[in-house]
Amino acid sequence: MITQEPQKRQRPRTEGDWLFVPAPQPHRPYRLFCFPHAGGDAPAYTRLAHSLAPFAEVWALRMPARGGRRRDPMPASFDLLVATVAEELRPHLGGDFGFYGQSFGALLAYEVARALPKELRPGLVVAASAQPPSAWTGELPQGLGAADLLHLTGMGELVDADPELRDMALAAVQSDLDVKRTYRHRPSPLLDSDLYAVAGDGDPMLDAQRIAGWAEHTSGGFGLSVVPGGHLLAAVDRRGPVELLTSVIGSRSAAPAAESPVENPSHQPVREHQ
C-alpha cells in the first residue's frame, strides 16, 4: 500500500519590502491580500493565514515605520500611500484574489482597489471594523489619541509590560493617524468590485449599524455581517473571521459572479446590481 507523505509546511517569506506571506502554499489557491489596522503590521495576519490554508493564501501588507521596516518613512499623504501600495501590488495580481482590511486597513484596501486599473482590481473587497469612506474624518472620535486607540483595539495589554515595545507601537499608530488625517473622500468613480462589510458585535469604536453605508460605495454586489469579536477581528492573538471569509470566498468560486451576489452568512440584506 502506498501512503502519501504529509506536505512540509512552507517557511514564511517576504516579497520585496511591502509584502509578507506567513503560510505559503505549494499550489496557487485564492490569494487574499490583507491590510493592517492603524499601527498594525503584517504578522498580525499569521494566525489567519494558517487558518485559511490551504483554501487561500494570505499576503499581508508590510507597513513602513514599524517592525522590520521601522526605518522606512511613511509616505507623506494618504494619496501617496495608496499610489505606492497599488504599484507594489501590481506584479502579484492575477488569478482569483481579493482584499481584506480592518479599520484603517479597510479604508486603504478600498482606495487601493479603486486606484488599480480595471483588469487588476480584486473581485472582492472585505472591509472589517470600519465606517464607510464617506464618514471618515481627519480626527479620532472624542479626541482620542494613539495610546487610547491602542487600548480600545485590545492591544494595550500586550505591550504595556514592555516600555520599548509600547513606544514602538505608539509611534506606529501615530504614523498611521498622521497619514489618515490627509485622507479626503472622493465619491467617484464607484468601486466596481463586490464588497463585503463586517463588524464585531463587541466593537467599542464602531456602531455596527453604520457598516451598511458601505453599500453606497460599490456598483458591485454587497453583503454585510456582524460576527463575534471586538474592534480587531484578526490580530497576533486572534485568527479573525475565518468561517466568514471561507464562506464568502467559497461562494465566489462555486458560481459565476454575474449570477450570484456575495454570500451573506448572517442573513443580512444583500444587494445585487444589474
Side-chain angles (χ1 to χ4, degrees):
M1 180 171 122
I2 298 174
T3 58
Q4 269 190 331
E5 292 185 7
Q7 290 183 341
K8 290 183 179 179
R9 178 177 286 187
Q10 302 291 309
R11 303 182 94 180
R13 73 173 192 271
T14 56
E15 292 282 346
D17 289 335
W18 282 87
L19 291 162
F20 173 58
V21 188
Q25 303 304 301
H27 58 306
R28 175 57 166 90
Y30 187 94
R31 190 170 283 177
L32 186 66
F33 292 89
C34 293
F35 296 69
H37 58 278
D41 201 3
Y45 288 113
T46 297
R47 289 195 65 183
L48 176 65
H50 286 294
S51 297
L52 285 177
F55 173 74
E57 184 180 61
V58 166
W59 287 49
L61 199 65
R62 299 178 67 225
M63 296 289 283
R66 74 213 62 193
R69 301 193 64 204
R70 61 183 176 275
R71 301 188 195 284
D72 295 344
M74 174 68 75
S77 69
F78 195 92
D79 285 349
L80 184 55
L81 175 61
V82 167
T84 302
V85 172
E87 188 62 28
E88 292 292 332
L89 289 183
R90 286 175 69 111
H92 309 290
L93 303 178
D96 292 331
F97 71 93
F99 288 176
Y100 172 88
Q102 54 188 16
S103 196
F104 173 85
L107 181 67
L108 183 58
Y110 165 79
E111 291 294 355
V112 169
R114 286 211 299 173
L116 288 165
K118 185 176 180 63
E119 67 274 11
L120 291 178
R121 286 178 196 146
L124 171 69
V125 175
V126 180
S129 309
Q131 57 190 351
S134 56
W136 281 76
T137 62
E139 300 298 328
L140 286 172
Q142 302 173 354
L144 299 175
D148 303 302
L149 185 61
L150 202 62
H151 282 274
L152 282 171
T153 56
M155 302 300 291
E157 292 182 4
L158 294 178
V159 298
D160 277 348
D162 186 332
E164 184 178 358
L165 184 59
R166 175 180 167 82
D167 288 346
M168 287 192 294
L170 287 173
V173 172
Q174 192 60 57
S175 174
D176 290 352
L177 293 182
D178 289 344
V179 77
K180 170 184 168 288
R181 289 188 180 97
T182 70
Y183 176 71
R184 299 295 180 269
H185 174 59
R186 301 178 183 91
S188 60
L190 284 177
L191 179 68
D192 54 5
S193 306
D194 288 344
L195 194 150
Y196 206 104
V198 57
D201 58 5
D203 190 339
M205 299 181 62
L206 179 69
D207 178 356
Q209 298 302 315
R210 296 192 68 182
I211 67 172
W214 278 96
E216 305 308 315
H217 293 273
T218 182
S219 60
F222 176 74
L224 63 85
S225 285
V226 177
V227 300
H231 186 63
L232 297 184
L233 300 178
V236 174
D237 59 339
R238 279 157 261 165
R239 66 182 195 146
V242 175
E243 291 78 10
L244 173 66
L245 289 171
T246 301
S247 176
V248 172
I249 294 170
S251 70
R252 298 180 57 78
S253 303
E259 298 177 8
S260 174
V262 177
E263 187 174 328
N264 186 25
S266 69
H267 306 294
Q268 298 286 343
V270 174
R271 184 194 68 212
E272 183 178 9
H273 293 269
Q274 302 299 325

